Amino acid sequence: MRVNRCARMWQGILLGLALTLLGAPAPAAPARGAGPPRAPVSPPAADPSVPALARAWPVGVRPFVLRGWEPPATAYSRGHRGVDLAALPGAPVRAVAPGRVSFAGRVAGRGVVSVELSDTGAPPLRTTYGPVRASVHKGDDVLAGAVLGTLEAAGAHCGPTSCLHWGLLRGTVYLNPLSLLPPWLLNSGPSRLLPLDPTAAPGIRP
């Protein structure tokens, strides 16, 4: 009996060592209906021209990033000039920071809203959101968390799902919109009331 127990003990030790050397087992497959996998979002490289002044994601609490920012090599090269955030058609699309609506209309049949962000230099930083059925107009002042409109179906841009394409520019130069997000938003911080001015739209959460 003692010999058998010793043999089993050494078998367990050797099995544990083998698993350690071979590496951890592969993660289990996501549960059915759990939604698309969330793309890992690393903090963007520091960009002194983009202050982390956002106070809300444009959609949801912490949306799935379907496609990240892929800056083109040149102004005319292929790339992805923004990020795609998963959301259902009809979802409210919110301003990420205070500013003034510089455009609200349709471009090539696609609804687009642009907001120039307050106190961000000259030319100011400008966020873009699409496809959006706008509920604001050019010249409107908006606060962080203010609803700009509702998400429209994205067509073929996001493949089998729907998404918001969120962009950021200074003049004609595209920048990474995730640079606007402070760490507590980028890393799924706790829910907070938005906008910061409670008289604007009470009860809004990021």
Side-chain angles (χ1 to χ4, degrees), residues 9-31:
M9 179 183 70
W10 279 106
Q11 286 174 353
I13 292 173
L14 291 173
L15 178 60
L17 288 173
L19 291 175
T20 300
L21 292 172
L22 291 173

Side-chain angles (χ1 to χ4, degrees), residues 53-58 94-98 117 127 129 143-145 166 180-181:
L53 48 74
R55 293 296 177 265
W57 283 88
R94 305 184 186 278
V96 300
L117 304 184
T127 51
Y129 311 81
L143 294 173
W166 177 35
L180 290 170
L181 298 174

Side-chain angles (χ1 to χ4, degrees), residues 55-186:
R55 293 296 177 265
W57 283 88
V59 286
V61 175
R62 169 60 173 84
F64 292 104
V65 178
L66 299 176
R67 186 178 178 186
W69 187 62
E70 300 166 12
T74 70
Y76 303 101
S77 301
R78 297 183 63 181
H80 193 234
R81 296 166 170 83
V83 296
D84 292 339
L85 306 176
L88 294 175
V93 177
R94 305 184 186 278
V96 300
R100 175 168 292 180
V101 177
S102 57
F103 180 84
R106 308 197 74 78
V107 177
R110 181 172 179 265
V112 176
V113 175
S114 297
V115 178
E116 291 185 352
L117 304 184
S118 303
D119 303 320
T120 54
L125 291 170
R126 184 171 80 258
T127 51
T128 61
Y129 311 81
V132 175
R133 185 175 301 278
S135 58
V136 293
H137 302 88
K138 181 178 180 179
D140 287 351
D141 291 321
V142 295
L143 294 173
V147 174
L148 303 174
T150 55
L151 185 66
E152 298 179 325
H157 180 76
C158 297
T161 185
S162 59
C163 73
L164 173 76
H165 181 80
W166 177 35
L168 175 67
L169 303 92
R170 187 184 292 279
T172 59
V173 178
Y174 285 88
L175 303 167
N176 186 353
L178 294 178
S179 300
L180 290 170
L181 298 174
W184 66 266
L185 271 176
L186 194 63

